Amino acid sequence: MFLWIALVGVFLLSFLISRRMATLQGSTLLDRPVARSAHTVATPRGGGFAIVVAISLWLVVLSLTGFVSVSDLQVLLCAIPVAVAGFIDDLRGLPVRMRLPVHLFAAIAALSLLGPLPEPFFSGWLLLPEFVQSGLLVLALVWLLNLYNFMDGIDTLAAAQCLFVSGAAGVFLAGQQAGLAWVCAGLFAATSGFLLLNLPPAKLFMGDIGSTFLGFFIGLIALISHYQQSLSVWVWVLLMGAFIADTTYTLIVRVIAGQKLTEGHSTHAYQRLARRYGQHKPVVLAYMAVNVLWLFPIAWLAVIYPEYGVLFAISGIVPLMLVAGLIGAGKTSDHGKSANNNR
């Protein structure tokens, strides 16, 4: 009962901090629209600060009550440097050459704390030396936090994705690993408090502190569950499949076209859809429908048959990449068109 009451406190704390940040109209955190923005009204950013504070306190509660071990807590806290770098970036801008070392350090630290891989990452599908697999995991964590940041371009989408992932994973973990299930519950509550200020038209954006933290934090929970053999990492890949498909396909198209990867753009599938429909709500609903109707059932199968996790991940994500291609992800033909009146 105590944890359920504390969960309400996590939600309220996140909401109250978010509401306060939404009033910082004269702040350096004000996000002013630029040519590629999907909003036309200056809006405060950095709302992810509320999520970070709320989930950090929740982790302390879980640790004190014995639901999260000290070792797992240390791994999860590796997301804090990522959040700090994101917040500095929101405040005054932080070049990639300064952000990337922080991201790599946090990923390497987390994997060092996790220790040796308990089983081949690719579950027998591809035999690789352990140091190669560890290197791939570092890159995967850094890619995950960046792709989450890339997908935070319209109201609600990034927050709604976190609710889906944390909610679905919490259900899968409930009967296997109560501690991580409670971590997911706290993440759900903290993000819900922020979401109330991020509904279209958003009064507050999560900023880099929110998007990079969420991507990295979800990756850390996924790795802990994989290392402790309670939930295969491929289940998490499927739950994140809509974001992975959109960002990966867009990146491939841009690389082939010879475009600069560090240059800002608005050519992701979700951004093209937002411009096409002139609003954000139907795009968010479409992505959540894909999550619930397509990815969740396949992820559930991956829970039941973990030995086929790689195959399920490919089967779930490749079709979504093809859909992204049909939408025109990565292409710049309608880049200059207006997105909508809100964001």
Side-chain angles (χ1 to χ4, degrees):
M1 179 61 71
F2 168 74
L3 287 182
W4 288 108
I5 296 175
L7 264 183
V8 176
V10 170
F11 167 81
L12 290 175
L13 177 62
S14 178
F15 170 71
L16 292 174
I17 295 176
S18 297
R19 188 172 67 174
R20 178 68 183 92
M21 295 191 73
T23 64
L24 302 178
Q25 298 296 331
S27 168
T28 55
L29 288 172
L30 203 61
D31 191 326
R32 303 184 187 280
V34 295
R36 59 187 174 83
S37 297
H39 67 286
T40 58
V41 178
T43 306
R45 63 177 179 267
F49 176 79
I51 299 175
V52 174
V53 171
I55 193 63
S56 296
L57 292 177
W58 175 244
L59 290 177
V60 172
V61 170
L62 291 180
S63 179
L64 292 175
T65 53
F67 280 93
V68 170
S69 67
V70 174
S71 58
D72 287 350
L73 177 64
Q74 291 174 334
V75 173
L76 293 171
L77 289 180
C78 287
I80 298 301
V82 173
V84 172
F87 196 52
I88 295 174
D89 195 25
D90 288 331
L91 282 171
R92 59 181 186 181
L94 197 64
V96 175
R97 69 178 184 276
M98 298 183 69
R99 295 197 309 267
L100 184 58
V102 175
H103 298 164
L104 289 171
F105 167 79
I108 293 171
L111 287 166
S112 298
L113 290 169
L114 282 167
L117 283 167
E119 62 178 21
F121 179 61
F122 288 94
S123 304
W125 287 80
L126 181 62
L127 298 179
L128 295 172
E130 185 173 329
F131 76 92
V132 175
Q133 296 187 74
S134 297
L136 289 174
L137 287 178
V138 169
L139 295 177
L141 277 173
V142 174
W143 172 235
L144 186 59
L145 73 87
N146 278 285
L147 77 82
Y148 215 100
N149 185 35
F150 297 155
M151 294 297 290
D152 180 33
I154 62 174
D155 300 344
T156 308
L157 182 59
Q161 178 69 14
C162 182
L163 295 187
F164 167 72
V165 174
S166 59
V171 170
F172 292 150
L173 287 165
Q176 304 184 60
Q177 197 171 11
L180 283 185
W182 280 113
V183 172
C184 289
L187 185 59
F188 188 98
T191 306
S192 296
F194 161 79
L195 179 66
L196 296 182
L197 280 300
N198 190 238
L199 294 171
K203 298 179 179 63
L204 179 67
F205 300 154
M206 70 168 58
D208 283 1
I209 181 178
S211 58
T212 56
F213 173 83
L214 288 181
F216 197 78
F217 193 75
I218 289 171
L220 293 179
I221 303 174
L223 286 180
I224 291 174
S225 71
H226 184 82
Y227 271 65
Q228 297 179 1
Q229 301 184 40
S230 57
L231 204 62
S232 168
V233 73
W234 298 109
V235 175
W236 295 85
V237 169
L238 280 161
L239 295 178
M240 284 292 297
F243 275 25
I244 292 174
D246 192 338
T247 53
T248 303
Y249 185 89
T250 301
L251 176 67
I252 291 172
V253 172
R254 287 174 57 78
V255 167
I256 293 175
Q259 299 176 25
K260 294 181 179 179
L261 299 184
T262 57
E263 183 181 0
H265 67 94
S266 59
T267 62
H268 288 284
Y270 79 91
Q271 293 169 319
R272 294 179 65 88
L273 288 173
R275 289 194 292 273
R276 182 177 303 173
Y277 294 107
Q279 52 183 321
H280 299 175
K281 184 177 179 179
V283 180
V284 175
L285 292 176
Y287 272 74
M288 293 308 106
V290 169
N291 282 337
V292 173
L293 300 178
W294 174 250
L295 292 169
F296 182 85
I298 303 176
W300 177 72
L301 289 174
V303 173
I304 299 175
Y305 306 105
E307 65 272 21
Y308 300 114
V310 178
L311 181 60
F312 284 131
I314 294 173
S315 301
I317 294 175
V318 170
L320 296 182
M321 294 179 68
L322 296 177
V323 173
L326 292 176
I327 294 172
K331 299 180 180 179
T332 58
S333 57
D334 68 346
H335 190 177
K337 296 182 180 178
S338 175
N340 65 39
N341 295 323
N342 300 323
R343 184 182 181 198

